[in-house]
Amino acid sequence: MNSHNSNKNHLSEIPVVILCGGRGTRLYPDTKTIPKPLVKLAGIPIVVHIINYYISFGVENFYLALGYKSEEFEKYFSKNTNLFPEKIKINLIDTGLDSMTGGRLLRLKSNIEKYDEFMLTYGDGLSDVDLNDLYSLYQKSNCIGVVTAVHPPARFGLLKIEEELVKSFQEKPQTDDGWINGGFFIFKKSFFSYLNDDSTILEKEPLENLSKNNQLAGYKHYKFWQCMDTPRDRKILEEYLVSNKNLNKE
């Protein structure tokens, strides 16, 4: 894997939250016995690919927000203790079986609010987004948050971006063009004030209100991004990892 030196020391001080609690029903039967982030691509769970990618930018501290089959994460990481360099901290935290995405993040507030800022992404998507560039935009914008905007495959939240500010955030509109929510967020800790309870869906009121308040910057990413919602998505990711070693540690 490539290493990325710029901002490396600073990014090492910022924790990453990875949302890993969903049931992943569209990937069934793979997710019948294990949670989606532990489904393997090129022999390695997708969440390990994600963690390794952040590590390549100097990130050291990870919080995995667990829910569905949380015990499988405990089993996997206890059996594979040498996956990462010794300085890497993997914190496995059960955030409830039925919590929504915003609710899972809110449950991590006591762990995260000691930091001024944090990164967040989903446990089922890979990208070659430049985290240094992402952080630079976050700093320049002075917004509470920044989201990585990618082009479809359609069926995801549509973002309207003007002069690097997200002017509207619509979850899954019926359209096949424009920019969509690709994850890979950075937030100030003040974002927790936008979250209410376990039923809070991150992609609804919190991000919609953040954009209404001109506090959500959009980082346009033109290169690789792919989530793993379906078996077809998994095949696309597997083929990509086999042919592009930059996201594959092995």
Side-chain angles (χ1 to χ4, degrees):
M1 181 183 288
N2 298 330
S3 61
H4 312 268
N5 294 319
S6 174
N7 272 336
K8 188 168 185 177
N9 292 334
H10 190 77
L11 290 182
S12 70
E13 301 168 8
I14 305 175
V16 178
V17 173
I18 305 179
L19 297 174
C20 296
R23 286 177 168 80
T25 53
R26 282 185 285 177
L27 205 61
Y28 191 89
D30 289 331
T31 51
K32 182 180 180 181
T33 55
I34 59 171
K36 184 160 64 165
L38 290 181
V39 171
K40 292 183 177 180
L41 296 169
I44 301 171
I46 186 171
V47 72
V48 175
H49 286 292
I50 295 167
I51 291 169
N52 278 329
Y53 192 68
Y54 276 98
I55 289 173
S56 75
F57 285 86
V59 178
E60 299 179 358
N61 201 2
F62 297 84
Y63 289 85
L64 274 57
L66 310 180
Y68 175 69
K69 294 193 177 294
S70 59
E71 69 280 359
E72 294 300 322
F73 288 91
E74 302 281 355
K75 288 180 189 175
Y76 181 83
F77 284 101
S78 63
K79 285 180 183 176
N80 297 276
T81 55
N82 297 319
L83 278 174
F84 311 112
E86 192 173 339
K87 65 182 177 180
I88 303 303
K89 298 182 181 70
I90 308 294
N91 304 281
L92 304 177
I93 300 178
D94 192 335
T95 55
L97 183 60
D98 297 314
S99 300
M100 297 292 102
T101 47
R104 295 193 188 285
L105 175 58
L106 184 59
R107 286 209 185 193
L108 292 177
K109 183 179 178 181
S110 61
N111 303 97
I112 300 298
E113 62 183 352
K114 59 188 173 185
Y115 304 96
D116 291 331
E117 54 204 4
F118 64 94
M119 293 180 275
L120 180 143
T121 197
Y122 303 102
D124 63 353
L126 292 179
S127 178
D128 58 0
V129 58
D130 188 323
L131 298 180
N132 292 320
D133 280 355
L134 180 66
Y135 187 76
S136 294
L137 174 61
Y138 162 77
Q139 284 186 307
K140 185 176 76 171
S141 73
N142 202 33
C143 289
I144 291 174
V146 60
V147 56
T148 297
V150 297
H151 276 304
R155 74 181 189 272
F156 301 96
L158 183 67
L159 311 179
K160 181 180 179 183
I161 299 176
E162 295 175 10
E163 296 180 348
E164 295 179 342
L165 280 177
V166 177
K167 291 297 187 179
S168 70
F169 190 108
Q170 281 181 278
E171 179 64 359
K172 301 181 181 177
Q174 298 302 311
T175 182
D176 59 0
D177 59 9
W179 295 93
I180 64 170
N181 166 21
F184 296 91
F185 300 91
I186 304 175
F187 293 110
K188 290 180 169 66
K189 66 179 178 181
S190 58
F191 181 59
F192 280 108
S193 67
Y194 285 77
L195 309 175
N196 294 321
D197 53 34
D198 281 353
S199 67
T200 300
I201 299 171
L202 177 74
E203 301 79 12
K204 298 285 189 181
E205 284 83 2
L207 291 179
E208 289 169 358
N209 290 334
L210 206 62
S211 67
K212 286 176 186 175
N213 295 339
N214 287 330
Q215 285 295 321
L216 182 61
Y219 176 80
K220 293 180 178 179
H221 178 61
Y222 294 90
K223 296 182 182 178
F224 179 75
W225 176 88
Q226 178 67 49
C227 68
M228 189 176 68
D229 272 349
T230 65
R232 179 180 175 273
D233 294 336
R234 183 185 182 185
K235 183 179 179 185
I236 291 169
L237 277 166
E238 192 121 41
E239 289 172 353
Y240 180 84
L241 287 170
V242 168
S243 59
N244 294 271
K245 297 299 182 182
N246 62 318
L247 283 177
N248 188 355
K249 191 181 179 187
E250 297 299 315

